[in-house]
Amino acid sequence: MAQLLSSPCPSVISLSSSKNSIKPFGLKQTFFNHPQVLSTPSLKGLLFQEKKPRRRRRSCVFRAAISQQSPPETSTNDSSSSKPKRVMVIGGDGYCGWATALHLSKKNYEVAIVDNLVRRLFDHQLGLESLTPIASIHDRISRWKALTGKTIELYVGDICDFEFLAESFKSFEPDSVVHFGEQRSAPYSMIDRSRAVFTQHNNVIGTLNVLFAIKEFGEECHLVKLGTMGEYGTPNIDIEEGYITITHNGRTDTLPYPKQASSFYHLSKVHDSHNIAFTCKAWGIRATDLNQGVVYGVKTDETEMHEELRNRLDYDAVFGTALNRFCVQAAVGHPLTVYGKGGQTRGYLDIRDTVQCVELAIANPAKAGEFRVFNQFTEQFSVNELASLVTKAGSKLGLDVTKMTVPNPRVEAEEHYYNAKHTKLMELGLEPHYLSESLLDSLLNFAVQFKDRVDTKQIMPSVSWKKIGVKTKSMGA
């Protein structure tokens, strides 16, 4: 999709083979006009209509079909006669979404990806680039089918466009929806007014549309929604999993855990949680909110199968997460950028555990009307602890790793109590990949392999919580 993204006004999209002829449907030419994207909260969908409707579906199919020559024969040991569960992965072209889509496909779920590909557009807007070269979503899916014989369906469009989302639901008929399809960066949401508005509109309205789609077209569908541990903030008491039992003036009740969001992005997640909880109560929707910690790593068993399946790895100060950023900084000889006092403590998990957690949530769905919350992380670290671990691991590889204190661009406590519970996924069978020397060694070597792709101008933080303004900013200059 790289060629498509590079054009501000594409007029023709050619996806064809001897078996299929696919034409653009509902193409909005302003989609790739960057100023309009920033000023328009909703990104209208890019849809592709296949001439021949998919068998077993009454409605017309709107999707990008990935086709090729017949794949090599594959053997399966699945003796179950039951119909494979159908999982729609919204945001399946992203960092967590792509790894999850492949993992579920490998586990014999029927998978469809829904994505508007806007994450790739953000890179173009801000002058950023993944450390790893990533193939187009079409090439990724074709390669997966060539290697495994498994088909992942693709619906390219914006879930803020309910017409598009409704057609996708009616076409694919998912048993579960995994919702990664949100603008996921706190710094991005704090660049300027337009990005703050975009983040809240995209995330909140998109999730509302998903809820309405489930209500109208899939009452039994289970929503697995990616939340964030950032909803809780850093309270001076233990963080429970979603709910807390309190006694006040002699009366006791179990209530949603208080939320203390720290950015417009985190606030959008809080709004999502409230909307989902309400619709579970009002409509009987079944939903699991995965309050995820900070994810690190890039490799899963599936993404390692071929270079075209490789996942993205962000190291910049807008989209890069702490450990990933530190490993890339160490690889290129840049001091590790510790914000403020470095005592900020959060929950962390390996991306291999992200896909595990999603699979466990799908395999053990919530009950009708239930809104359950899982805290999705495996370990807690402070920023200083991460910096020390990377320094130690880097020295064993012959890297001269230093660290520097950077004025904290965020508004947050830099030293605080932090003890978050995270038992529910472990009880379902999560087998964690804890942060080890071997994992750090692998991640550092991976960063060294691609260090020539690092743009050191993108390392230092350039977004200030206190200086957020009205005018649109270009971060790539």
Side-chain angles (χ1 to χ4, degrees):
M1 211 57 184
Q3 292 181 345
L4 177 59
L5 285 171
S6 65
S7 172
C9 185
S11 58
V12 176
I13 300 175
S14 177
L15 294 173
S16 61
S17 72
S18 58
K19 295 183 179 180
N20 293 284
S21 178
I22 303 171
K23 62 182 180 180
F25 177 83
L27 181 61
K28 304 298 184 181
Q29 293 186 346
T30 59
F31 179 83
F32 294 102
N33 188 319
H34 297 182
Q36 292 189 33
V37 168
L38 293 177
S39 63
T40 304
S42 174
L43 293 172
K44 293 298 183 181
L46 285 174
L47 302 174
F48 301 96
Q49 182 179 25
E50 187 180 0
K51 288 183 176 179
K52 183 170 66 175
R54 179 184 170 200
R55 287 179 292 180
R56 299 187 297 107
R57 298 287 176 254
R58 292 187 298 272
S59 60
C60 187
V61 180
F62 300 92
R63 70 179 188 269
I66 306 300
S67 59
Q68 58 177 44
Q69 295 180 349
S70 299
E73 292 185 4
T74 57
S75 61
T76 60
N77 297 319
D78 186 10
S79 59
S80 173
S81 60
S82 62
K83 180 182 177 182
K85 294 295 185 181
R86 303 173 67 79
V87 182
M88 175 180 285
V89 182
I90 301 175
D93 188 45
Y95 174 53
C96 292
W98 176 241
T100 299
L102 293 188
H103 179 77
L104 294 175
S105 179
K106 184 71 174 297
K107 293 290 184 175
N108 294 320
Y109 288 90
E110 291 188 18
V111 177
I113 286 175
V114 175
D115 205 301
N116 63 4
L117 310 183
V118 73
R119 177 62 189 87
R120 295 173 184 255
L121 179 61
F122 292 160
D123 281 352
H124 285 257
Q125 290 174 343
L126 302 181
L128 307 176
E129 194 171 31
S130 166
L131 176 73
T132 51
I134 52 174
S136 74
I137 185 62
H138 305 88
D139 289 344
R140 282 174 155 187
I141 292 175
S142 292
R143 179 58 60 185
W144 178 248
K145 185 170 184 178
L147 292 171
T148 67
K150 297 179 182 294
T151 297
I152 294 177
E153 295 192 41
L154 175 63
Y155 299 80
V156 179
D158 183 10
I159 64 171
C160 289
D161 178 353
F162 188 72
E163 181 181 357
F164 159 74
L165 183 62
E167 291 298 334
S168 301
F169 256 78
K170 289 186 288 185
S171 169
F172 186 68
E173 298 179 356
D175 299 301
S176 300
V177 172
V178 180
H179 185 11
F180 290 110
E182 299 194 313
Q183 194 294 102
R184 55 94 169 166
S185 165
Y188 187 90
S189 75
M190 302 299 294
I191 293 174
D192 49 40
R193 183 205 64 82
S194 60
R195 268 108 172 178
V197 171
F198 170 81
T199 297
Q200 296 227 344
H201 186 280
N202 180 79
N203 294 2
V204 177
I205 302 305
T207 298
L208 268 176
N209 279 348
V210 172
L211 291 168
F212 273 94
I214 291 174
K215 179 180 183 293
E216 295 298 320
F217 311 117
E219 291 182 351
E220 296 301 313
C221 184
H222 175 213
L223 173 62
V224 179
K225 167 67 165 58
L226 189 73
T228 172
M229 290 296 295
E231 291 188 34
Y232 299 121
T234 54
N236 199 36
I237 59 173
D238 291 353
I239 297 173
E240 305 297 329
E241 294 200 65
Y243 298 89
I244 185 170
T245 300
I246 62 173
T247 299
H248 179 65
N249 291 341
R251 302 187 68 84
T252 300
D253 201 352
T254 298
L255 302 169
Y257 196 96
K259 306 298 177 67
Q260 301 182 73
S262 59
S263 72
F264 289 121
Y265 155 73
H266 291 104
L267 283 164
S268 75
K269 293 287 193 176
V270 173
H271 302 328
D272 287 339
S273 295
H274 289 158
N275 285 337
I276 298 169
F278 170 73
T279 55
C280 286
K281 182 186 298 184
W283 302 339
I285 285 177
R286 59 187 77 223
T288 302
D289 202 2
L290 299 176
N291 281 344
Q292 184 168 254
V294 184
V295 185
Y296 60 81
V298 66
K299 297 180 180 180
T300 66
D301 290 343
E302 293 78 28
T303 63
E304 282 294 278
M305 291 172 63
H306 192 278
E307 63 181 13
E308 283 191 313
L309 302 180
R310 187 181 290 134
N311 207 351
R312 70 179 305 121
L313 183 70
D314 299 306
Y315 63 89
D316 59 272
V318 176
F319 288 101
T321 57
L323 185 59
N324 286 351
R325 288 193 295 110
F326 282 174
C327 286
V328 174
Q329 290 167 10
V332 298
H334 191 288
L336 310 186
T337 53
V338 175
Y339 293 175
K341 296 179 181 179
Q344 303 93 323
T345 302
R346 302 290 187 269
Y348 288 81
L349 77 162
D350 191 303
I351 193 167
R352 292 173 294 180
D353 293 338
T354 289
V355 302
Q356 261 199 92
C357 291
V358 173
E359 182 192 358
L360 286 169
I362 293 171
N364 302 275
K367 300 175 183 177
E370 179 184 10
F371 176 63
R372 62 182 186 179
V373 181
F374 297 161
N375 290 346
Q376 184 172 301
F377 69 96
T378 56
E379 299 176 274
Q380 295 180 176
F381 298 101
S382 71
V383 173
N384 283 327
E385 287 171 334
L386 289 180
S388 296
L389 289 170
V390 172
T391 300
K392 181 179 178 181
S395 65
K396 291 184 177 181
L397 296 178
L399 299 174
D400 183 15
V401 185
T402 60
K403 70 176 184 178
M404 63 186 297
T405 298
V406 176
N408 194 346
R410 306 187 178 208
V411 176
E412 62 183 357
E414 296 177 1
E415 294 177 317
H416 55 84
Y417 177 80
Y418 197 83
N419 183 36
K421 306 295 179 61
H422 56 112
T423 61
K424 294 181 181 178
L425 284 162
M426 300 290 285
E427 291 167 358
L428 289 179
L430 174 64
E431 299 178 358
H433 296 83
Y434 294 115
L435 184 58
S436 62
E437 287 188 10
S438 61
L439 185 280
L440 279 171
D441 181 82
S442 173
L443 190 52
L444 282 165
N445 275 304
F446 193 83
V448 169
Q449 177 185 352
F450 293 100
K451 69 178 183 178
D452 290 342
R453 290 177 52 85
V454 174
D455 179 1
T456 57
K457 297 192 297 296
Q458 305 297 341
I459 289 177
M460 298 299 291
S462 55
V463 180
S464 170
W465 265 230
K466 292 184 177 181
K467 296 180 181 179
I468 184 172
V470 171
K471 295 181 179 180
T472 299
K473 297 180 182 178
S474 174
M475 308 305 299

